[in-house]
Amino acid sequence: MTLHEVLSRIYHISLRELGIMRQNPIYGFCTVVFPIVVIIFFTSLMAGGQPTEMPIGIVDQDNTTTTRAMIRQLDAFQSSKVAGYYPNVNEAREAIQRNEIFAFLYIPKGTTSGLMTSTQPKISFYYSNVTLVAGNMLFKDLKTICTLGSAAVGKTKLQAIGKTNDEVRTFLQPIAVDAHLIENPWVSYNIYLTTSMAPGVLMVFIFLLTPYAIGTELKFKRSRQLMKMAGNNIYVAIAGKMLPMTLLFLTMMYGFEFYIFHMLDFPHPGGVVPLLLMGLLSVLACQGFGIFAFGLMPSLRMSISISALWSVLSFSVAGATYPLSAMDPEIQSLAQLFPLRHYFMLYQMCEFNGYPLSYAWFNIMFLLMIAVLPIFTLRNIKRAMLVYVYIP
């Protein structure tokens, strides 16, 4: 078979596939409609960067000028908002259980006098970590306000014995911390999470639609026609069948990257080349795994189930929310078979931090390896196309 004949067969199979996609609305929804909805959903969900004015409660049994000043300072924080005062800890705890507040500050009676006499009074704060982001941010605010309250009293006492402002500052903070957040000084969760979650959902569609497209050839008894058009060459058949979806998913992936990095201006010091490579290799790797899964089990139901399980597990081992290095060694090894993991590492190293692509050679290699996995199962797919009978 000459090159011209191969390209001609791929072209005609792709036209046939476009006709199938036009008749089946599942393709339109999974390649265009749902990806656009996902992109808009994630980028607008955290458009503010961080949650603000999260409700907290106050149990102030001391009720002095000092404690009221602490509460006003806490209310002035961007992420905290004093939503209610409670007479005791039990009522504040019940308010957390009713999801009315995420945390509360407990100031027992005698706190101010204890501060003045240096008897180390205890101020308690309680927070719910069911909502992880809210819990961590409110923990930081509550801890800060307790530290500031102690520092304010210490400043007053030191000034009373004649210490200068410089001496007071040196005593209260002997070491000044100069912190710098790399590439995301706003601590925007939109930048941290959207760049991994939205591509992950797009990959779910690729994982699911790839075995579906091949399996429906058997289901609707079109497989022999496909093989005839390909000259019984399974490589030509799969290439022609996957080409339209590959181009559509690449368009959506590049559209997503253009939207967040150029229209929303997410940090991208790595430039255009890593973006193009990330999109291309991720789409090919997801399709490669989907074809491989169908080749292992030439069943529409089983191959989609395998791909669905693999795509959902990707979010757990990608490392975007929990570092892979903290997981068990077995999980760390298995994670290399998930395309989302390597997409995230490519983004983190080469796009977010601006390192050259040579730093991510390992991830590029694994994406290429996953993309060529179908080589080991294409013979099984060919046999299924020519021999197998679809069993509902």
Side-chain angles (χ1 to χ4, degrees), residues 222-242:
R222 300 191 303 255
S223 57
R224 290 180 178 85
Q225 179 197 18
L226 173 65
M227 294 304 297
K228 183 178 179 181
M229 292 182 66
N232 279 340
N233 188 322
I234 190 62
Y235 293 92
V236 173
I238 295 298
K241 187 156 188 67
M242 291 293 108

Side-chain angles (χ1 to χ4, degrees), residues 15-16 70 103 139 146 181 220 228 237 268:
L15 289 180
R16 170 183 177 272
M70 289 174 58
F139 166 75
C146 293
L181 293 172
F220 298 115
K228 183 178 179 181
H268 55 287

Side-chain angles (χ1 to χ4, degrees), residues 38 89 107-108 150 154 156 174 194 199 232 250-251 292 322 331 349 387:
V38 165
V89 171
I107 305 175
S150 174
T156 302
T194 299
N232 279 340
L250 272 177
T251 301
F292 174 75
Y322 189 84
I331 302 298
M349 286 190 290
V387 178

Side-chain angles (χ1 to χ4, degrees), residues 66 70 73 115 123 143-154:
T66 300
M70 289 174 58
Q73 288 179 330
L115 285 170
I123 297 176
K143 185 177 181 180
T144 300
I145 203 63
C146 293
T147 304
L148 290 177
S150 174
V153 174

Side-chain angles (χ1 to χ4, degrees), residues 21 25-44 194 197-209 245-257 259-260 283:
M21 294 172 67
I26 289 178
Y27 290 98
F29 277 102
C30 291
T31 57
V32 179
V33 178
F34 289 154
I36 291 176
V37 171
V38 165
I39 293 169
I40 295 174
F41 173 77
F42 276 104
T43 53
S44 61
T194 299
M197 296 298 290
V201 178
L202 293 178
M203 291 181 193
V204 170
F205 295 132
I206 304 174
F207 270 114
L208 296 179
L209 206 58
M245 281 193 295
T246 303
L247 295 177
L248 279 172
F249 280 122
L250 272 177
T251 301
M252 298 310 302
M253 188 69 78
Y254 288 150
F256 163 73
E257 292 177 346
Y259 177 62
I260 64 169
V283 171

Side-chain angles (χ1 to χ4, degrees), residues 7 9 18 34 64 69 77 95 109 121 125 133 169 197 215 238 250 263 274 278 292 322 336 338 358-360 378:
L7 295 177
R9 290 181 182 274
L18 287 173
F34 289 154
T64 63
F77 287 165
K109 191 172 182 60
F125 50 85
V133 173
R169 189 181 304 111
M197 296 298 290
I238 295 298
L250 272 177
M263 296 183 68
M278 284 159 46
F292 174 75
Y322 189 84
Q336 309 310 322
F338 292 85
S358 57
Y359 280 70
L378 281 176

